[in-house]
Amino acid sequence: MERMENNITIGKNTYIEDEKTFTDVKNKSNITIGDNVKIYGYTKFHVGMNGKISIGNNSIIAGAILISNKEITIGNNVVISYYVSIMDSDFHSINPKIRKKEAYEMAPPTNHDFIREDIVEAKVIIEDNVKIGANCIILKGVTIGEGSEIFAGTVVTKNIPKNSYVEGNPAKIYESRQK
Amino acid sequence: MLKVIQLKYMSLDKNRYVIDDWYHMPIPENVHIGKETWIHTAYAFSQYKSKRKIGVTIGHNCSIKDPLIQTGTNGEIKIGNYCTFVQPIINTNKKIIIGNNALVAYGVIISDSGYLIPPQKNTRVVKKNKISIRIGNNVWIGIKALILGGADIGDNSIIGAGAIVDFTVPKNSIVVGNPGRILPQKR
């Protein structure tokens, strides 16, 4: 890759298909990507000022959207499919008055770097050997245990224990694969 | 003056490059595309690794906007006539058959498994190919639906937005939800 910023470190043999993957990364954020990782086209990193994303070795990310304002940790040998979105923050308040203020602040031509008030943020941890199917959504504060499989289209809002199989919306957790 | 140029046929030059394409790769030899069919860019075949004599056949008068067609070495895809797709991802190492007049909305995924990724190393070629997905004629598929391995969708069916289908759907039925279910019909 050409023109890599200082805050992005990339390991050996890591393949990044699309130039536009890192266009929405703020300067003070921190991204570390391990060895032999494959990041295919359509993948997008949206990382705020305090955001931090780390990806382990031998993982594959195909067309996912990672939005971070706190911390997203992805382990080794993780497979993430197309149109998955992972976010570690709600980004906006439940209070409509604060949201109205934010709307004015975010609108052009003002600066987009502002302090967000009254939001819920929590770390997202995806442990080793996890598989995440297409169209999944993973929300803030979730820990997905080692070896779990999240079937396509699942919306994950709660912690998932080791080696489980998750399916459906709302998500249902099973001990082993159903089909 | 601006000139608006309308092309009657998808214009491939002698070396099978799409004219005015941003992605500089030819369309592979074992891809057969019918008359007046549009595939807007050859980027569709960036992860296409089929080693079959005919890997992909697409009928005439289809419009397939910005697809990703990813196959392993055994992959085979047949698409009928008068189909419309918008940004589909089709991923297979088996056989996918799609009938005529399919209307497929934005971001639909048609794949052998839910954990689809671009094909990794695979050199095995099987002689006869198992059908993993079959879609009948006049099927309408809603936005961001997932059609996964084992799906057999009958003629004239409707798949709702975001539905997940990996089972047999009889003719003239409607499928919604995640996990998908067939709606009972009053007639």
Side-chain angles (χ1 to χ4, degrees), chain A residues 67-118:
Chain A
I67 314 175
S68 171
N69 215 10
K70 195 167 188 187
E71 190 173 343
I72 295 176
T73 312
I74 296 172
N76 304 323
N77 309 320
V78 173
V79 172
I80 299 177
S81 188
Y82 285 94
Y83 300 140
V84 171
S85 39
I86 301 172
M87 49 185 100
D88 59 5
S89 168
D90 279 347
F91 290 100
H92 300 292
S93 169
I94 297 173
N95 185 346
K97 279 180 188 169
I98 295 175
R99 279 212 307 280
K100 192 181 174 186
K101 205 179 104 191
E102 273 180 1
Y104 283 120
E105 267 175 292
M106 284 174 76
T110 48
N111 194 352
H112 284 238
D113 297 341
F114 64 94
I115 298 156
R116 296 172 188 271
E117 295 170 41
D118 189 29

Side-chain angles (χ1 to χ4, degrees), chain A residues 17 38 40 60 62 79 81-83 131 133-135 149-153 165 168-169 177 179, chain B residues 43 46-47 66 68 70 87 89 107 109 114-118 120 144 146 148 164 166 178-179:
Chain A
E17 187 178 355
K38 286 181 177 169
Y40 290 98
I60 298 171
V79 172
S81 188
Y82 285 94
Y83 300 140
K131 276 166 123 189
N135 273 0
E149 291 187 19
I150 318 283
F151 194 64
Y165 173 79
N169 179 17
R177 219 190 143 109
K179 287 160 195 165
Chain B
Y43 181 69
S46 61
Q47 300 289 347
D66 295 340
L68 275 183
Q70 309 175 332
Q87 285 200 6
I89 295 176
I109 292 175
Y115 310 104
L116 69 159
I117 48 171
Q120 309 293 309
K144 290 231 174 186
L146 289 171
L148 302 180
I164 296 189
D166 55 358
N178 171 15

Side-chain angles (χ1 to χ4, degrees), chain B residues 48-65:
Chain B
Y48 172 83
K49 285 170 187 163
S50 180
K51 285 182 182 167
R52 294 194 167 269
K53 266 193 174 178
I54 301 171
V56 172
T57 42
I58 301 172
H60 56 79
N61 296 73
C62 292
S63 165
I64 305 187
K65 174 114 180 121

Side-chain angles (χ1 to χ4, degrees), chain B residues 65-174:
Chain B
K65 174 114 180 121
D66 295 340
L68 275 183
I69 296 174
Q70 309 175 332
T71 62
T73 44
N74 295 322
E76 195 176 343
I77 297 164
K78 273 186 178 179
I79 298 175
N81 308 323
Y82 299 99
C83 294
T84 303
F85 292 79
V86 190
Q87 285 200 6
I89 295 176
I90 303 175
N91 183 317
T92 186
N93 203 20
K94 293 176 184 169
K95 195 172 183 181
I96 291 177
I97 300 174
I98 299 170
N100 299 327
N101 316 334
L103 298 176
V104 181
Y106 170 84
V108 167
I109 292 175
I110 301 171
S111 164
D112 290 349
S113 87
Y115 310 104
L116 69 159
I117 48 171
Q120 309 293 309
K121 274 180 193 172
N122 183 352
T123 49
R124 198 169 60 108
V125 175
V126 185
K127 273 191 178 174
K128 269 202 169 180
N129 221 347
K130 263 191 171 179
I131 294 174
S132 81
I133 297 171
R134 192 202 302 269
I135 298 175
N137 299 325
N138 310 328
V139 171
W140 179 20
I141 300 177
I143 200 162
K144 290 231 174 186
L146 289 171
I147 315 295
L148 302 180
D152 186 350
I153 302 173
D155 294 354
N156 311 328
S157 292
I158 298 173
I159 312 296
I164 296 189
V165 184
D166 55 358
F167 46 84
T168 307
V169 177
K171 282 182 183 178
N172 305 317
S173 43
I174 301 173

